[in-house]
């Protein structure tokens, strides 16, 4: 593009015939001597080679001729300065194009290259033509690079070498030759034209900002080289990176017009760094709510500490989305689990605190806590080094006193635990390929509405998704796959867990989880677990199985509906209770298990699908529905679907209320269960008291506490074979285990009755 045409800029100086008062023998700045004043030059109106020219006598080591008008030096504009000279007599000098470079404050830019290449004159009367190209950018073919600070120049030439020669100089010509540098950059703006230098050292931030201002919708081009940016840079126009940029960790690069991962990968030339810088921009700029990875696969050799990347905020609660790509862990010692141990004291009166922690500074936030009396999935939520205390994600059930605890800090591919609070972060259509090296996602200590959908968390070494506090409040996990790294391991050898929660309102829907130790350890209430398939079997004959869904809150207020529950069981505990014996509190209750398909293959006969495990005495069940499910065994049978694990305590069966176990299908289950139990009893011999044993059918080995109905099937007969029309008196909770009832008639009789017996109190 020619500025003389497009913008009407006149670059070529006035002719010598118009007067020598605009031609300086100094640097050309206002006040410098002119050839008209000094008499050092004369105008020659006619010459056999020049139509009109200036004649001077070289009388100093560097004799200068400078045009005193300010010739603009513009970004993207390249000027070729041409002069023709000949020596008439005297000593033969050398000649070069030269100029004085000025900035916006009218000061000389001393680091600008202000002289061009010299040409030596070797004969008299011969016309020599010298030229040099001046521009802001360090481009091939540019003789005088003037950089981003120069805004104008006083242009001309120098005569150097021996003095005493008489030289004639034709009118200078300045041409805009920008087109020669723009053949591949039509419609683009080159950052070098604004002073950017790709040496990895020079701060090019101002040049990038200037290029962005000048682009006005055109593409910005960052050519070969490494360009250091000394601060935050926001580019409002599209940008193409051929070279790369480098900047400090705290500084941000925001690409508004092409805010997607490939642009950041091109910008930084490093996959992990480019990904981290893109995340940094996502959480620091409000013009974009999502970052598209454009299907790119990124290799990670270390955890992505999102809080450290963002760098300037401990709390973030504005919706942001990371989508459409793949993260893959590659071998590195940075994935190694950090392990330590320390003595500490636990007091149930302060249930989420460890005090007097020895060597507390060595224990990282997010560490898994293990020790005597510590339940599953208890993490360090925060560390107070001065007070020597650790805040825990959940209480411990039997750790009162002082003991040595162990701490394991897993390494996560996406680690948000450095934030104090993070909400409304979405991860969509992402594969997190942990490769058996890393864990998947670590949530912040606090926050809500973290949403993961249509993702794969593949082969986590230890954990898929970890909550170290209450950042899992209203956690949504939809249509994801969790694939274990322990496919070949037996159930008892496994250590990996797909996810855990501590806060309320988990939504776990339409997911598939494969061969973990546990699928989910759920510490909060109001969970919705719908439409999932999890399976945890192995090839061991009569193999042991572990809990798939593990509830650690007694009054869970949760539903498990429409799931395929395969080779694992629902385990219901209160292990995250510092005082696990029943206090003035809600006991086990508010759980609905409906419409699920339960399957087990080649398991021990004592396997159960629904197991209640109280960690303290006095607990009972108030509110449980197990309805419309299908239970099926393959390669063997099991005794029953239900059980109570009495490792720590049994249930109080005298207080059970509001239980519905009905409309289930049992295949390969030797003993079905119901509540109410609708049982037909046949009394073959005359007796006044009929003992009705329904114990096998009552869920969880509970008591026969109520009778809804007694209906005779045919006539009740006495010894004389006459019909008895009386109604029996009912006695509940008979037998050694109080799991039978008695029907007491006014007289001895025989016959058949159907009874509806309940394990819970009648309303």
């Amino acid at each position: 593009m020619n500025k003389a045409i497009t913008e009407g800029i006149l670059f070529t100086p006035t002719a010598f015939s118009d007067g020598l008062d605009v031609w300086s023998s100094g640097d050309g700045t206002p006040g410098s001597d002119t050839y008209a004043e000094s008499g050092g030059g004369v105008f020659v109106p006619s010459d056999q080679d020049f139509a009109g020219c200036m004649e001077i006598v070289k009388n100093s080591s560097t004799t200068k001729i400078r045009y005193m008008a300010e010739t603009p030096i513009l970004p993207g504009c390249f000027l070729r300065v041409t002069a023709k000279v000949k020596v008439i007599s005297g000593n033969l000098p050398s000649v070069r194009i030269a100029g004085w470079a000025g900035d916006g404050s009218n000061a000389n830019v001393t680091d600008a290259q202000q002289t061009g290449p010299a040409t030596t004159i070797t004969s008299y009367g011969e016309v020599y033509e010298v030229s040099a190209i001046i521009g802001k950018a360090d481009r091939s073919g540019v003789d005088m690079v003037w950089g981003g600070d120069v805004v104008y120049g006083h242009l001309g030439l120098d005569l150097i070498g021996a003095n005493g020669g008489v030289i004639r100089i034709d009118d200078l010509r300045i041409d805009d030759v920008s087109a020669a540098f723009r053949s591949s950059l039509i419609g683009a703006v080159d950052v070098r034209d604004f002073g950017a230098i790709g040496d990895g050292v020079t701060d090019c931030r101002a040049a990038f900002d200037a290029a962005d201002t000048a682009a006005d919708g055109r593409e910005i081009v960052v050519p070969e080289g490494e360009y250091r940016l000394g601060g935050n840079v926001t580019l409002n126009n599209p940008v193409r990176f051929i070279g790369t940029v480098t900047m400090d960790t705290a500084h941000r690069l925001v690409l508004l017009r092409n805010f997607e991962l490939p642009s950041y990968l091109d910008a930084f030339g490093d996959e992990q760094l480019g990904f981290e810088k893109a995340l940094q921009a996502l959480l620091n700029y409000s013009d974009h709510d999502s970052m598209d990875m454009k299907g790119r696969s990124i290799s990670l050799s270390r955890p992505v500490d999102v809080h450290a990347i963002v760098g300037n905020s401990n709390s973030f609660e504005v919706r942001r989305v990371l989508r459409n790509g793949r993260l893959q862990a590659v071998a590195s010692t940075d994935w190694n689990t950090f392990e330590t141990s320390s003595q500490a004291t636990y007091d149930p009166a302060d249930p989420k605190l460890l005090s007097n922690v020895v060597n507390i500074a060595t224990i990282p936030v997010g560490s898994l806590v293990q020790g005597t009396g510590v339940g599953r999935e208890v993490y360090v939520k925060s560390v107070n080094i001065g007070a020597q205390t650790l805040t825990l994600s959940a209480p411990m059930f039997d750790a009162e006193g002082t003991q040595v605890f162990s701490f394991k800090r897993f390494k996560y591919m996406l680690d948000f635990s450095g934030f104090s609070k993070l909400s409304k972060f979405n991860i969509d259509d992402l594969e997190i390929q942990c490769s058996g090296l890393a864990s998947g996602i670590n949530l912040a200590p606090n926050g809500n509405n973290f949403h993961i959908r249509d993702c794969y968390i593949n082969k986590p070494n230890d954990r898929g998704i970890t909550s170290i506090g209450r950042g899992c409040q209203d956690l949504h996990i939809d249509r994801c796959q969790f694939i274990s790294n322990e496919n070949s391991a037996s159930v008892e050898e496994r250590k990996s867990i797909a996810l855990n929660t501590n806060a309320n309102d988990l939504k776990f829907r339409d997911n598939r989880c494969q061969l973990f130790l546990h699928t989910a350890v759920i510490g909060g209430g109001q969970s919705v677990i719908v439409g999932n398939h999890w399976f945890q079997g192995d090839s061991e004959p009569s193999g042991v199985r572990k809990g798939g869904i593990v509830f650690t809150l007694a009054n869970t207020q949760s539903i498990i509906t429409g799931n395929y529950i395969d080779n694992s069981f629902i385990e219901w505990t209160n292990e995250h209770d510092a005082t696990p014996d029943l206090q003035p509190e809600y006991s086990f209750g508010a759980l609905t298990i409906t419409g699920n398909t339960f399957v087990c293959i080649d398991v021990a006969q004592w396997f159960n699908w629904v197991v209640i495990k109280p960690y303290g005495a006095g607990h009972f069940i108030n509110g449980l529905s197990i309805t419309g499910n299908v239970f099926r065994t393959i390669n063997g049978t099991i005794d029953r679907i239900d059980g109570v694990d009495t490792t720590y305590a049994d249930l109080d069966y005298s207080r059970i209320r509001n239980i519905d176990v009905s409309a289930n299908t049992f295949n390969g289950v030797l003993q079905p269960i119901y509540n109410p139990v609708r049982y037909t009893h046949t009394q073959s011999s005359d007796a006044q008291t009929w003992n009705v044993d329904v114990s096998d059918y009552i869920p969880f080995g509970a008591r026969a506490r109520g009778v809804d109905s007694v209906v005779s099937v045919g006539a009740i007969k006495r010894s004389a074979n006459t019909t008895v029309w009386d109604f029996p008196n009912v006695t509940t909770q008979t037998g050694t285990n109080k799991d039978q009832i008695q029907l007491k008639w006014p007289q001895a009789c025989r016959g058949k009755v159907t009874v509806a017996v309940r394990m819970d109190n009648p309303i």
Side-chain angles (χ1 to χ4, degrees):
M1 184 178 294
N2 191 298
K3 295 287 185 179
I5 297 173
T6 61
E7 299 181 17
I9 299 175
L10 298 178
F11 292 109
T12 295
T14 60
F16 293 132
S17 60
D18 292 336
L20 301 182
D21 57 341
V22 294
W23 292 95
S24 172
S25 58
D27 55 25
T29 57
S32 60
D33 290 338
T34 69
Y35 281 97
E37 295 169 345
S38 65
V42 295
F43 174 69
V44 178
S46 63
D47 179 274
Q48 62 181 0
D49 296 307
F50 307 137
C53 61
M54 181 172 66
E55 181 179 283
I56 64 173
V57 176
K58 184 179 184 310
N59 54 17
S60 60
S61 59
T62 300
T63 300
K64 300 179 179 180
I65 301 97
R66 300 286 188 271
Y67 184 45
M68 296 184 70
E70 295 180 355
T71 302
I73 307 299
L74 304 172
C77 186
F78 297 86
L79 302 179
R80 181 171 59 204
V81 182
T82 303
K84 292 180 180 180
V85 301
K86 67 180 179 180
V87 178
I88 303 299
S89 63
N91 291 323
L92 296 172
S94 295
V95 62
R96 67 190 181 193
I97 300 299
W100 185 90
D103 63 15
S105 301
N106 299 315
N108 184 233
V109 180
T110 57
D111 59 356
Q113 190 176 351
Q114 298 181 81
T115 58
T119 297
T120 301
I121 297 175
T122 59
S123 62
Y124 297 100
E126 181 180 350
V127 176
Y128 287 80
E129 182 177 280
V130 294
S131 67
I133 294 176
I134 300 172
K136 284 177 171 285
D138 185 4
R139 302 270 201 97
S140 177
V142 177
D143 302 294
M144 298 163 64
V145 179
W146 279 17
D149 293 334
V150 177
V151 296
Y152 70 92
H154 296 295
L155 306 183
L157 67 157
D158 289 340
L159 300 172
I160 57 176
N163 292 330
V166 177
I167 298 100
R168 288 185 178 179
I169 305 164
D170 195 11
D171 293 333
L172 263 70
R173 188 174 74 249
I174 301 177
D175 299 308
D176 183 351
V177 294
S178 303
F181 294 88
R182 291 181 177 236
S183 59
S184 62
L185 297 175
I186 295 174
V189 173
D190 191 317
V191 295
R192 294 176 302 181
D193 295 340
F194 299 84
I197 300 174
D199 59 4
V201 177
T202 303
D203 184 0
C204 302
R205 178 188 178 190
F208 274 61
D209 288 342
D212 186 50
T213 300
D216 193 25
R218 292 177 293 165
E219 183 180 60
I220 301 167
V221 174
V222 180
E224 296 87 349
E226 183 180 66
Y227 299 83
R228 191 177 80 80
L229 303 178
N232 298 330
V233 172
T234 297
L235 299 179
N236 295 279
N237 296 281
V239 58
R240 174 160 53 99
F241 290 93
I242 301 168
T244 60
V245 299
T246 180
M247 61 198 316
D248 292 344
T249 301
H251 295 152
R252 303 184 298 276
L253 176 64
V254 180
L255 308 176
L256 289 182
R257 287 289 297 276
N258 43 340
F259 185 70
E260 74 283 326
L261 182 60
S263 295
Y264 282 87
L265 301 184
D266 293 342
F268 290 94
D270 178 273
E271 285 190 354
Q272 178 146 1
L273 179 59
F275 175 72
E276 291 173 342
K277 283 297 185 181
L279 273 182
Q280 181 188 48
L282 176 64
L283 271 70
N284 266 295
Y285 205 83
S286 60
D287 269 23
H288 294 278
D289 73 339
S290 61
M291 194 267 284
D292 194 340
M293 293 180 65
K294 294 289 186 180
R296 294 290 295 264
S297 179
I298 303 300
S299 296
L300 301 181
S301 60
R302 62 182 182 275
V304 176
D305 185 340
V306 183
H307 173 259
I309 290 167
V310 173
N312 60 357
S313 178
N314 291 321
S315 178
F316 194 87
E317 298 190 77
V318 179
R319 179 179 179 268
R320 288 292 182 268
V321 183
L322 173 65
R323 61 161 55 99
N324 188 23
R326 182 172 187 257
L327 303 177
Q328 173 149 10
V330 295
S332 166
T333 56
D334 287 335
W335 299 120
N336 294 347
T337 297
F338 174 80
E339 298 187 44
T340 189
S341 60
S342 180
Q343 180 178 286
T345 300
Y346 184 69
D347 183 355
D350 201 345
K352 291 187 178 181
L353 196 75
L354 278 180
S355 60
N356 300 321
V357 182
V358 177
N359 297 323
I360 189 170
T362 66
I363 301 172
V365 169
S367 298
L368 177 70
V369 186
Q370 295 177 311
T372 302
V374 183
R376 286 164 285 194
E377 299 303 276
V378 176
Y379 290 89
V380 175
K381 181 179 179 182
S382 63
V383 177
N384 187 328
I385 295 176
Q388 287 188 285
T389 59
L390 302 177
T391 302
L392 307 174
S393 63
M396 302 175 177
F397 68 90
D398 189 22
E400 183 174 5
T402 299
Q403 64 168 293
V404 174
F405 297 90
S406 65
F407 300 88
K408 292 183 179 180
R409 183 53 162 91
F410 307 130
K411 303 300 178 62
Y412 296 82
M413 296 183 70
L414 290 174
D415 196 331
F416 298 90
S417 64
F419 290 99
S420 59
K421 189 175 187 180
L422 178 71
S423 299
K424 302 183 183 72
F425 196 92
N426 290 11
I427 300 177
D428 299 351
D429 296 296
L430 190 68
E431 180 182 357
I432 301 176
Q433 175 55 265
C434 302
S435 306
L437 301 169
S439 293
I441 300 170
N442 197 11
L443 303 179
N446 294 290
N448 59 72
N449 281 285
F450 200 102
H451 197 169
I452 306 167
R453 61 190 179 209
D454 301 305
C455 293
Y456 286 73
I457 298 181
N458 202 352
K459 296 188 176 183
N461 186 47
D462 295 286
R463 299 295 185 268
I465 300 172
T466 293
S467 174
I468 66 166
R470 299 187 66 81
C472 55
Q473 176 72 45
D474 209 7
L475 173 65
H476 295 242
I477 304 174
D478 293 308
R479 300 181 304 277
C480 295
Q481 289 209 36
F482 295 78
I483 303 170
S484 169
N485 189 48
E486 300 178 294
N487 290 2
S488 60
S490 68
V491 170
E492 290 184 297
E493 294 172 331
R494 293 175 192 158
K495 61 184 178 65
S496 61
I497 296 173
L499 70 136
N500 80 288
T501 65
N502 304 298
N504 296 334
D505 305 330
L506 167 68
K507 282 40 171 214
F508 190 64
R509 298 171 292 210
D510 301 325
N511 302 288
R512 181 178 184 270
C513 302
Q514 173 184 320
L515 301 175
F516 288 89
L517 173 65
H518 303 298
T519 291
V521 178
I522 300 174
Q526 296 86 50
S527 297
V528 176
I529 302 168
V530 176
N532 306 285
H533 179 196
W534 63 86
F535 52 102
Q536 296 176 196
D538 58 23
S539 58
E540 297 291 323
S542 299
V544 171
R545 300 293 181 257
K546 295 291 185 179
I549 299 297
V550 179
F551 291 109
T552 66
L553 180 67
N555 192 262
T556 186
Q557 294 180 262
S558 298
I559 63 170
I560 302 177
T561 299
N563 302 281
Y564 183 2
I565 302 171
D566 187 343
N567 276 288
S568 65
F569 55 91
I570 298 169
E571 185 176 1
W572 194 5
T573 81
N574 66 324
E575 63 194 82
H576 290 164
D577 188 342
T579 52
D581 290 347
L582 183 64
Q583 309 295 317
E585 61 183 330
Y586 293 117
S587 191
F588 287 88
L591 177 60
T592 298
I593 304 171
T594 183
N596 303 283
T597 294
F598 291 82
V599 171
C600 66
I601 304 173
D602 198 14
V603 299
Q605 190 163 329
W606 42 262
F607 170 82
N608 307 124
W609 271 298
V610 181
V611 177
I612 300 176
K613 185 176 183 178
Y615 276 68
H619 285 278
F620 58 97
I621 311 171
N622 183 4
L624 172 62
S625 177
I626 305 175
T627 59
N629 304 285
V630 176
F631 299 92
R632 183 186 179 193
T633 67
I634 300 173
N635 292 347
T637 60
I638 64 170
D639 293 330
R640 50 195 300 132
I641 70 160
D642 58 316
V644 178
D645 186 331
T646 59
T647 299
Y648 297 101
D650 203 347
L651 293 173
D652 181 351
Y653 298 103
S654 69
R655 300 185 65 185
I656 292 177
R657 298 180 63 87
N658 192 22
I659 309 297
D660 183 6
V661 181
S662 61
N664 300 296
T665 300
F666 302 92
N667 296 314
V669 179
L670 299 178
Q671 183 55 65
I673 61 169
Y674 310 92
N675 189 64
V677 178
R678 291 180 172 85
Y679 179 78
T680 299
H681 173 79
T682 300
Q683 184 70 32
S684 302
S685 58
D686 291 339
Q688 188 173 4
T689 299
W690 294 7
N691 292 309
V692 181
D693 186 357
V694 295
S695 58
D696 290 341
Y697 299 93
I698 297 176
F700 303 107
R703 300 178 181 180
R705 299 181 63 215
V707 176
D708 286 351
S709 63
V710 179
V711 179
S712 65
V713 181
I716 305 299
K717 300 290 187 177
R718 59 173 65 91
S719 57
N721 207 32
T722 58
T723 300
V724 175
W725 301 101
D726 300 305
F727 193 82
N729 179 39
V730 177
T731 303
T732 61
Q733 301 189 78
T734 63
T736 303
N737 296 318
K738 300 184 180 182
D739 50 12
Q740 302 176 26
I741 67 167
Q742 289 182 342
L743 302 180
K744 295 185 178 180
W745 301 85
Q747 53 191 300
C749 55
R750 64 187 183 279
K752 183 186 294 186
V753 295
T754 296
V755 296
V757 181
R758 302 193 66 90
M759 64 185 287
D760 49 352
N761 276 347
I763 297 175

